[in-house]
Amino acid sequence: MRSVTVLLVVLLIAFLLGLGQAQNGVAEASIYQYQFVVAVTYGRQLHGNGVILSKRWILSSASTFYTYPFTEYTVAVGAEDYQDQATWYEVEHGYKHPKYIGSDYNIAVVLIRGSIEYTSRVQPIHLPTSNPDGVEAATMLSFGRGSEEHQSHLREAKLVLTTDQSCIDQQADFQAKQYIWDGVGYCALPEPGTTNDLWHIATGAPIVADRVLYAVFAKHEASDHKGQEVATRIWHFKDWITTTTDVAWDY
């Protein structure tokens, strides 16, 4: 009888943990599925996230590199836990978009020292071949917040990218509204019925669907402004990315 009781308790705990994760909308992710995600660090501590464009170029948000010169950052690739498993590269140089101010035009590219070696854990992202006004089933990849034992683990969050007027109306910041109206950004919302605890460390996090990059996370408001998260729309920066880097947009 006691063994049956213990089993029921274990099953109940597993159910509650699974339910909490489903409501939260966040789960640990596999680097073998998302080989293009990188951690951007300063002093080996997380400052943001990025995505591999090519063997030497990384795309992120400009706000990831807000505090220090580009050359003081490092990039960790090929890791589910960037503290233990990553290959590290120093940043040689970087470029923020020339119109970047605060959260507007929040995009940057960095050139690493050396060359990334592609493996089963490290691959470049696919760039979009179209410019949708929304993506209903997107995934954001970010290192950072998890359990206390897994602060440096890769996490995934399911969300919706949209430019619907109802989403724009939620934005308290007029610049954010204009950013989305102008086709430069998306509203980035958790899937219906879920919440998301990655926002505060998600800067530069790639947002993908079917292994195609549609956005990088740009802006998070305080907890009393839920629903006002904004992502930078990649297609809008097609010309800037290709002229700033050696990356060909010919997928």
Side-chain angles (χ1 to χ4, degrees):
M1 183 67 179
R2 181 177 180 182
S3 61
V4 174
T5 302
V6 171
L7 177 61
L8 289 174
V9 170
V10 170
L11 290 174
L12 178 60
I13 292 172
F15 171 78
L16 292 174
L17 288 174
L19 179 62
Q21 186 177 78
Q23 291 174 337
N24 184 39
V26 178
E28 290 194 14
S30 168
I31 195 64
Y32 291 101
Q33 184 177 2
Y34 303 113
Q35 305 100 318
F36 45 79
V37 187
V38 306
V40 180
T41 70
Y42 175 83
R44 298 294 175 105
Q45 298 301 311
L46 187 71
H47 261 238
N49 306 270
V51 59
I52 299 171
L53 292 179
S54 72
K55 289 189 174 184
R56 296 204 66 196
W57 287 99
I58 304 296
L59 178 72
S60 184
S61 64
S63 55
T64 298
F65 305 95
Y66 179 78
T67 309
Y68 306 104
F70 279 109
T71 55
E72 295 188 21
Y73 292 90
T74 52
V75 172
V77 310
E80 289 171 5
D81 183 332
Y82 73 85
Q83 291 284 16
D84 293 334
Q85 304 166 344
T87 302
W88 297 82
Y89 296 90
E90 296 179 347
V91 172
E92 180 175 309
H93 195 65
Y95 301 90
K96 298 174 185 176
H97 193 276
K99 291 186 178 180
Y100 167 65
I101 299 176
S103 60
D104 293 338
Y105 291 84
N106 193 355
I107 193 167
V109 290
V110 296
L111 180 69
I112 64 161
R113 296 186 185 276
S115 179
I116 293 172
E117 179 182 355
Y118 293 157
T119 69
S120 61
R121 298 168 66 93
V122 182
Q123 292 290 323
I125 190 61
H126 294 295
L127 296 171
T129 58
S130 62
N131 187 25
D133 287 330
V135 180
E136 292 187 0
T139 302
M140 179 173 70
L141 289 312
S142 176
F143 289 92
R145 185 173 178 180
S147 66
E148 290 185 3
E149 297 83 15
H150 298 90
Q151 290 289 320
S152 57
H153 273 219
L154 180 62
R155 311 278 283 174
E156 63 178 306
K158 304 300 181 182
L159 48 74
V160 176
L161 298 177
T162 179
T163 56
D164 289 349
Q165 188 62 47
S166 60
C167 149
I168 295 174
D169 290 342
Q170 294 183 60
Q171 302 292 328
D173 182 358
F174 180 79
Q175 287 185 326
K177 292 178 185 283
Q178 194 69 49
Y179 199 62
I180 300 165
W181 278 328
D182 291 345
V184 186
Y186 289 110
C187 293
L189 307 176
E191 283 188 330
T194 67
T195 59
N196 193 308
D197 66 353
L198 283 178
W199 300 125
H200 75 291
I201 47 80
T203 178
I207 303 174
V208 305
D210 297 325
R211 300 186 61 81
V212 175
L213 179 70
Y214 288 99
V216 292
F217 194 77
K219 179 183 180 183
H220 165 60
E221 294 288 354
S223 59
D224 57 342
H225 291 93
K226 290 296 185 184
Q228 296 189 36
E229 286 76 22
V230 177
T232 298
R233 197 166 170 171
I234 295 302
W235 183 273
H236 183 85
F237 298 95
K238 180 177 181 180
D239 291 342
W240 180 76
I241 291 170
T242 55
T243 56
T244 307
T245 72
D246 61 1
V247 175
W249 201 302
D250 55 0
Y251 298 98

